[in-house]
Amino acid sequence: MAIAYRQWRDGDDLALLEIWGGPETEQARQFRGTLAPSGNKPWRRCIVAEDVVDGVAIPVAAGVVHEASLHPERLWAYIEVDRQHRRAGVGSTLLTMLRHEAAQSPSGVSRLRTKVEPGTPGAAFAEAAGLAPIQRSRLVVVDPGALRLPVFGDGSEAAASEQVEDLATGSVELSDVVGRYYTSVHGWDSPGDLSIATVQRLFLDELSGAHGAIVLRAPKASAFGQGVAASRKGRLQAFAISYAELAPAGDNTEAAAPAGQPTDVFLGHEPKLSAEEAQAAVRDLLALIAFQHPVLLELDDSMEALRAVVEPLLESGKARVLGAETLVVSDPA
Ligand SMILES: CC(C)(COP(=O)(O)OP(=O)(O)OC[C@H]1O[C@@H](n2cnc3c(N)ncnc32)[C@H](O)[C@@H]1OP(=O)(O)O)[C@@H](O)C(=O)NCCC(=O)NCCS
């Protein structure tokens, strides 16, 4: 093997796809999309390794490092090497070259992170390179009726509608809680400053795929104490945002999850709640949204309230993990 290294060029994606074949993990599928020409806005460096086969130099491996405005404290990195060329140090050479580039990133950030599936060559390579897990993430499907429906107040419909509300995804109150919740469960990799507009773009606007939101509120309380009718809504305690399946091109009909297909939901809570309150709010809202239809949740180990509710369901078989776990691995601090 006489491997040569050069900058990524247009057309390399197709040449590599031909030799690599389909992605071997979900992470590989996602990261392949980040292999793209080097540039400065956003900052990205992408390198290709070529081997000479029958006298012709063809791309066999590639590596990329790039900065991200969301979670700016680390750079994303990804390396892939053709199966016939593995365990010969190509991946390590690409990593060394990416680290050299990262040392000159304009932000001054040089720590690398990537996502791997446990038990794969990618995970072994990352470990050998000194990248350690900073988070584990699982996709969980909660079966319909897995949790008993909550009873609100005196059990009347009026009491329930006081606490459970369909909220427009454009709501500033909702965006505020979503942003603070997201930040609170990402202490392990800060998302940086999340403006309301950024939260909207990432989780709530049409392009994010957000379909609808339902929130759970604290019971109304009168500022003048018991006996005086409360006029203001209770504080938002938990939210569930559902995401529509993307409609196939040309299909303008509204795309909801087909019957039986779990609905993709982002479920969170007001981060100022105590651990018990947060758990209760998350439990009640999950019971409501998963009453008749299965729900798909992304469960990070850092989401303590959601874990406390969902892990017993996993143990009792009322929820199941979909696909493989994802580990986010990173250079040490
Ligand atoms: C991960 C990957 C890039 C490694 O490429 P590579 O060229 O084989 O890596 P190297 O030869 O430089 O391996 C360096 C070290 O990593 C470890 N390693 C790599 N692959 C391994 C495997 N399959 N099993 C166990 N250890 C492995 C070993 O310690 C190895 O050193 P050694 O060969 O002296 O024992 C390649 O397997 C791949 O493309 N996987 C799919 C994409 C992916 O998961 N990328 C990871 C995200 S960055």
Side-chain angles (χ1 to χ4, degrees):
M1 275 201 300
I3 305 289
Y5 296 84
R6 62 161 172 81
Q7 286 281 329
W8 174 275
R9 289 199 296 253
D10 284 340
D12 283 339
D13 48 352
L14 293 177
L16 284 166
L17 183 62
E18 207 162 294
I19 183 161
W20 284 347
E24 60 194 80
T25 60
E26 174 56 23
Q27 295 78 28
R29 191 188 64 74
Q30 290 174 16
F31 277 116
R32 279 186 180 183
T34 67
L35 295 163
S38 297
N40 290 323
K41 273 192 177 127
W43 182 84
R44 178 196 317 267
R45 293 293 177 266
C46 192
I47 301 167
V48 168
E50 286 182 334
D51 191 13
V52 179
V53 179
D54 299 332
V56 183
I58 59 158
V60 294
V64 65
V65 58
H66 68 97
E67 64 180 16
S69 54
L70 185 66
H71 302 291
E73 291 180 354
R74 295 174 172 88
L75 303 172
W76 285 109
Y78 180 68
I79 295 170
E80 186 161 344
V81 177
D82 160 51
R83 284 182 178 78
Q84 310 297 321
H85 289 78
R86 289 188 187 173
R87 298 305 287 271
V90 177
S92 301
T93 303
L94 280 167
L95 181 60
T96 303
M97 294 174 80
L98 294 180
R99 285 197 186 287
H100 180 74
E101 296 289 343
Q104 300 162 45
S105 81
S107 59
V109 174
S110 59
R111 235 187 323 165
L112 304 184
R113 97 194 119 193
T114 192
K115 290 181 183 177
V116 295
E117 181 182 318
T120 61
F125 174 76
E127 189 181 347
L131 280 76
I134 52 172
Q135 191 57 233
R136 176 178 66 143
S137 187
R138 292 170 284 175
L139 290 175
V140 175
V141 177
V142 178
D143 289 340
L147 290 161
R148 243 183 314 128
L149 278 179
V151 177
F152 296 106
D154 56 9
S156 67
E157 202 158 309
S161 60
E162 186 185 300
Q163 283 189 253
V164 183
E165 187 187 359
D166 271 318
L167 209 57
T169 50
S171 152
V172 171
E173 184 192 20
L174 176 64
S175 309
D176 170 59
V177 175
V178 170
R180 287 185 298 107
Y181 174 73
Y182 186 83
T183 302
S184 75
V185 293
H186 283 88
W188 49 278
D189 193 21
S190 166
D193 278 337
L194 282 184
S195 67
I196 295 286
T198 305
V199 174
Q200 278 282 327
R201 183 172 52 77
L202 292 172
F203 306 110
L204 292 163
D205 74 9
E206 220 171 304
L207 284 178
S208 76
H211 199 65
I214 180 166
V215 299
L216 184 70
R217 294 186 179 279
K220 275 193 213 174
S222 169
F224 296 99
Q226 274 188 343
V228 180
S231 56
R232 295 183 52 188
K233 289 178 177 173
R235 280 199 62 140
L236 206 160
Q237 291 189 315
F239 63 84
I241 305 163
S242 66
Y243 294 87
E245 295 275 316
L246 285 179
D251 180 357
N252 289 326
T253 54
E254 197 135 349
Q261 281 273 78
T263 307
D264 190 357
V265 170
F266 176 23
L267 180 63
H269 59 85
E270 161 60 58
K272 286 185 195 145
L273 296 182
S274 70
E276 296 81 54
E277 287 171 330
Q279 242 181 70
V282 161
R283 198 214 78 91
D284 287 355
L285 194 52
L286 182 58
L288 283 173
I289 60 172
F291 176 51
Q292 286 180 316
H293 300 288
V295 162
L296 174 69
L297 300 162
E298 189 171 335
L299 180 65
D300 288 358
D301 279 356
S302 59
M303 299 173 175
E304 285 172 22
L306 192 58
R307 262 181 94 178
V309 172
V310 169
E311 282 182 345
L313 300 179
L314 287 170
E315 277 157 31
S316 64
K318 290 178 179 160
R320 65 204 137 84
V321 175
L322 196 72
E325 294 178 356
T326 297
L327 294 178
V328 181
V329 295
S330 162
D331 282 330

